Amino acid sequence: MAAWDLCVTVEELGPEAPPFKVSVTSDLHIGGVILRIVEKTQIKKNWSDHALWWEQKEQWLLRPSWTLEKYEIHADARLSLTSQHKPLRLDLPNGTTLRVQACFSRPVFQTVMGVCHLLNIRHPEELSFLRPVEEKKKKEKEAEKDVVHDLTALKVMSGTHNPAASTLHTSLCNSINSPVDFRWLDSSRSLLQQGVKAEDKLLLRFKYYCFHDLDPKYDAVRLTQLYEQARWAILLEEVDCTEEEMMLFAALQYHIGKVSLSEPQPTTSCPAMDDLDSALKCLEVKMESEKTRVEDIPKRLTLKGYKQFWFTFKNTSISYYKSREETLKEPIQQMNLKGCEVAPDVSVAAQKYCIRLLIPEAEGMNEVYLRCENELQYSRWMAACRLASKGKTLADCSFSSEVENIQSFLAMQQSTPGANNAQTDEIINTHSLVSRRYQKKYKAKQLTPRILEAYQNVSQLPLTQALVKFLQIWQALPDFGVSYFVVRFKGCRKDEVLGVTNNRLIRINLSTGDVAKTWRYNTMRQWNVNWDIKQMAIEFNGNVNIAFSCVTATCKIVHEYIGGYIFMATRSREQTEGLNHELFFKLTGGHEAL
């Protein structure tokens, strides 16, 4: 074969250095090209971390046995010999900035795994990188105040614990984040392919709202960072909550801030986790029929009133009748709660005890509200609905413990007599504990006694239990875990909102906020993306088909969210080590899947 010159720049020689010209033939493999370049530089060092980067195609040449001909590289190609690992600044949810040696040549999914291993964060598949909001240039004095923890000298350790992670715990964060959905990086492409350079700053955040096997004993860093992300979601009103819930969130933040000064490392185990069915004592429970109220709500924000019916709960289904005397007849309606979504809608002060149910149907989800008469009735019915949604009956051993957990949560929202007089002279920074809405609605002297009143109900919690309790209340909010995208459905003239959660898609009216339709992933048969017209098409059971294009984000981001959540559903408690990378890329990568 005829020889020809290939131009290659070398990173170690600086950006101003001219490229080397290497005489090659098309059958020369990539490893041979690198060897010739290294010999020409006459620089004696370890080059094992270096690889060739093809500038025009934004592609790494990582297969040393492949020839130039196989890569379709010709004389006009501009190549660069550069290191695969480069320093990267990472902003964590608690405001800590780390400088780490990150891999710029592998897919972001694998780079995140390496970083999380370094920081001792389990289940890295739940996190990803996103770009920060563009900030105005800081003055030199302000820039000097930013503390950066340099971890570039540390390598990814094997095993489950990294000693460097012990310093990464709760601290206050003063930054304000904007909506993040359109700023997520593509998990199937490398950092360099997405324009990220050495020393750039990225945010490390939890992307998927399904936190697998969260155990305070092993997840100290994961727990505190998740708490910080949840805290800012509340303060920035990314998820809606009632005024009572906001005061409780504020009280827990205040308590966590105080306790963390004397107990900085939350490493003790906590019995207040969501899924403790295996640890509960076996008790046979029989629940009698009780009166409650129900109304079928076809759309969100259209609640007008409730009608009273007689309800019975049997196995995993609830039935309702006009009266108790008619229970021997056919019910007005029977609803199987297996697989349904259960969310609280409670205000203790207003004596409002509602249960929101999203029940799967052939064409989507049916939204139903149950209104109970008192706290005890609510606790029992809420516990029964939660168990039924998991396919468990009232005879399950965890029923009584579930009731106790719900009553414990309600007790936190109740007023404590004399609480206002106990700590009236205590000064707290209320503006760092509540969202802007309540900062405008109330003065600090009005917020302080209310926060301190709620604080009395949580003041005895250890640090770890307080963190877990904060997360549990956050996860119980009706709008928790929804990522919103503006889309245009096929055949429609107006933009609408698509909500993506861990188990369903929600179609929302952009003008009113009403829920028009809901589809669950377990009824999804297939989905695909037409990358040419940037349109996603999904087919569900019952011959239900939808198609939409994305307005506020790329179609790839929405596609990755849906595929990512389906991947998360394949995890099990027994599968504590090792992830199926190939399956993740198959579900999320689209036409760029590895």
Side-chain angles (χ1 to χ4, degrees):
M1 288 188 177
W4 45 277
D5 289 339
L6 180 65
C7 293
V8 182
T9 58
V10 180
E11 182 183 53
E12 272 66 20
L13 300 179
E16 303 299 328
F20 282 103
K21 287 188 177 181
V22 183
S23 180
V24 298
T25 57
S26 296
D27 62 346
L28 181 63
H29 53 76
I30 295 299
V33 175
I34 295 177
L35 182 60
R36 293 187 184 185
I37 298 169
V38 169
E39 290 175 348
K40 274 206 167 189
T41 63
Q42 297 183 348
I43 299 176
K44 295 183 178 180
K45 59 168 294 181
N46 186 351
W47 295 87
S48 60
D49 187 51
H50 284 63
L52 288 175
W53 167 255
W54 191 351
E55 185 178 331
Q56 294 106 315
K57 288 197 173 183
E58 296 183 342
Q59 178 183 352
W60 285 95
L61 309 180
L62 299 176
R63 299 180 182 272
S65 61
W66 278 28
T67 64
L68 295 173
E69 182 179 21
K70 191 168 185 176
Y71 269 119
E72 298 183 353
I73 295 175
H74 306 290
D76 60 345
R78 297 194 303 271
L79 304 183
S80 175
L81 183 63
T82 180
S83 58
Q84 299 180 60
H85 290 79
K86 306 176 188 291
L88 182 70
R89 290 184 303 141
L90 288 180
D91 178 87
L92 302 186
N94 69 340
T96 302
T97 300
L98 304 177
R99 186 171 178 266
V100 300
Q101 199 75 1
C103 182
F104 277 63
S105 62
R106 296 296 178 184
V108 163
F109 179 74
Q110 295 178 356
T111 302
V112 170
M113 290 188 66
V115 171
C116 289
H117 188 85
L118 177 69
L119 304 181
N120 195 26
I121 298 177
R122 297 196 309 150
H123 300 290
E125 67 275 10
E126 299 168 356
L127 297 91
S128 191
F129 294 145
L130 68 155
R131 304 179 192 275
V133 180
E134 291 187 7
E135 300 176 355
K136 295 180 179 179
K137 290 186 178 180
K138 297 183 179 180
K139 297 180 180 179
E140 292 184 4
K141 292 183 179 180
E142 293 179 350
E144 290 176 358
K145 294 180 182 179
D146 293 341
V147 178
V148 178
H149 301 274
D150 195 340
L151 303 180
T152 52
L154 296 177
K155 296 181 179 180
V156 175
M157 305 292 290
S158 59
T160 59
H161 175 70
N162 192 302
S166 61
T167 60
L168 303 175
H169 292 293
T170 311
S171 67
L172 294 178
C173 174
N174 297 318
S175 62
I176 295 181
N177 299 319
S178 70
V180 299
D181 289 330
F182 64 93
R183 293 186 282 118
W184 290 107
L185 294 187
D186 189 332
S187 295
S188 61
R189 305 178 71 214
S190 69
L191 291 174
L192 199 57
Q193 284 178 310
Q194 301 181 70
V196 180
K197 307 297 182 184
E199 300 293 352
D200 277 359
K201 184 176 184 178
L202 294 176
L203 310 183
L204 180 65
R205 295 291 187 269
F206 290 87
K207 179 178 181 180
Y208 298 101
Y209 294 93
C210 45
F211 314 116
H212 184 62
D213 191 24
L214 186 61
D215 189 340
K217 185 177 180 180
Y218 305 106
D219 293 320
V221 178
R222 183 183 177 206
L223 185 63
T224 53
Q225 299 307 314
L226 186 55
Y227 158 73
E228 286 292 339
Q229 186 164 328
R231 187 171 75 89
W232 280 105
I234 297 296
L235 295 179
L236 298 177
E237 299 182 2
E238 293 175 1
V239 57
D240 194 26
C241 66
T242 65
E243 190 168 311
E244 273 185 327
E245 289 165 338
M246 179 59 73
M247 297 306 132
L248 181 54
F249 281 127
L252 283 167
Q253 291 176 72
Y254 176 62
H255 176 60
I256 290 169
K258 289 185 65 175
V259 177
S260 61
L261 297 177
S262 57
E263 190 182 340
Q265 297 186 10
T267 57
T268 57
S269 60
C270 171
M273 301 299 293
D274 282 333
D275 191 3
L276 289 179
D277 292 344
S278 59
L280 297 175
K281 296 180 179 180
C282 292
L283 295 173
E284 290 189 1
V285 179
K286 182 179 180 181
M287 188 175 182
E288 296 180 356
S289 303
E290 296 187 72
K291 273 192 176 182
T292 188
R293 301 170 182 175
V294 67
E295 183 179 12
D296 205 359
I297 311 297
K299 291 186 177 181
R300 195 179 179 189
L301 306 178
T302 57
L303 187 61
K304 295 180 180 179
Y306 292 88
K307 294 181 180 179
Q308 193 171 39
F309 296 95
W310 183 265
F311 270 70
T312 61
F313 212 124
K314 184 177 181 181
N315 296 327
T316 61
S317 298
I318 55 177
S319 305
Y320 64 95
Y321 309 80
K322 286 185 178 181
S323 64
R324 185 172 188 174
E325 289 72 24
E326 296 194 5
T327 54
L328 297 177
K329 302 178 182 179
E330 288 294 320
I332 298 173
Q333 186 179 5
Q334 184 180 65
M335 296 173 284
N336 192 334
L337 303 189
K338 186 176 181 180
C340 78
E341 295 295 313
V342 184
D345 185 8
V346 175
S347 174
V348 176
Q351 293 295 295
K352 174 188 174 184
Y353 302 100
C354 294
I355 303 172
R356 177 172 175 257
L357 302 174
L358 282 174
I359 304 173
E361 290 187 346
E363 296 184 359
M365 301 283 280
N366 181 28
E367 190 173 31
V368 175
Y369 280 77
L370 303 178
R371 182 162 185 169
C372 302
E373 293 182 334
N374 52 55
E375 181 180 318
L376 177 60
Q377 187 185 69
Y378 167 81
S379 301
R380 300 180 70 189
W381 277 86
M382 186 65 173
C385 290
R386 285 180 175 174
L387 291 177
S389 69
K390 302 176 184 178
K392 299 178 181 179
T393 68
L394 300 178
D396 191 83
C397 61
S398 62
F399 174 73
S400 58
S401 296
E402 188 72 44
V403 173
E404 291 174 5
N405 289 338
I406 295 169
Q407 291 177 329
S408 175
F409 167 70
L410 294 176
M412 289 185 179
Q413 299 188 41
Q414 294 175 347
S415 302
T416 303
N420 292 346
N421 300 327
Q423 300 185 19
T424 53
D425 56 345
E426 190 162 352
I427 301 175
I428 61 178
N429 181 10
T430 58
H431 281 191
S432 66
L433 301 176
V434 298
S435 66
R436 187 169 299 179
R437 183 200 314 176
Y438 296 103
Q439 295 174 20
K440 293 179 179 179
K441 187 176 181 179
Y442 299 107
K443 296 180 179 179
K445 63 181 180 181
Q446 295 173 302
L447 288 171
T448 297
R450 296 193 61 185
I451 294 174
L452 290 177
E453 182 180 335
Y455 168 69
Q456 298 304 307
N457 295 318
V458 299
S459 59
Q460 301 304 314
L461 291 177
L463 178 57
T464 301
Q465 289 193 26
L467 292 170
V468 171
K469 182 59 66 177
F470 189 99
L471 295 178
Q472 287 177 332
I473 301 172
W474 173 53
Q475 290 176 280
L477 296 176
D479 296 329
F480 161 78
V482 185
S483 300
Y484 298 99
F485 303 91
V486 178
V487 301
R488 177 73 63 87
F489 280 88
K490 185 178 180 180
C492 298
R493 296 182 179 181
K494 294 183 179 181
D495 292 341
E496 298 178 71
V497 175
L498 181 72
V500 182
T501 75
N502 67 327
N503 59 7
R504 67 187 186 277
L505 299 177
I506 310 171
R507 185 174 182 174
I508 304 170
N509 186 296
L510 182 59
S511 302
T512 64
D514 292 347
V515 174
K517 204 61 126 177
T518 305
W519 303 278
R520 291 176 65 88
Y521 296 151
N522 59 10
T523 65
M524 185 185 297
R525 299 186 63 183
Q526 64 176 351
W527 84 96
N528 60 77
V529 180
N530 186 326
W531 300 104
D532 295 328
I533 61 174
K534 301 185 184 306
Q535 185 180 84
M536 179 174 288
I538 307 176
E539 180 185 352
F540 297 92
N541 292 339
N543 199 27
V544 176
N545 294 275
I546 63 172
F548 57 85
S549 56
C550 300
V551 178
T552 57
T554 65
C555 213
K556 177 62 169 66
I557 292 179
V558 180
H559 167 68
E560 186 171 311
Y561 255 111
I562 296 174
Y565 274 129
I566 293 176
F567 174 80
M568 302 298 161
T570 64
R571 301 178 298 178
S572 63
R573 283 193 173 275
E574 293 74 21
Q575 186 183 348
T576 56
E577 295 293 337
L579 284 173
N580 189 337
H581 293 206
E582 184 178 349
L583 178 60
F584 179 85
F585 289 124
K586 182 178 180 180
L587 291 171
T588 64
H591 67 299
E592 295 175 342
L594 298 184

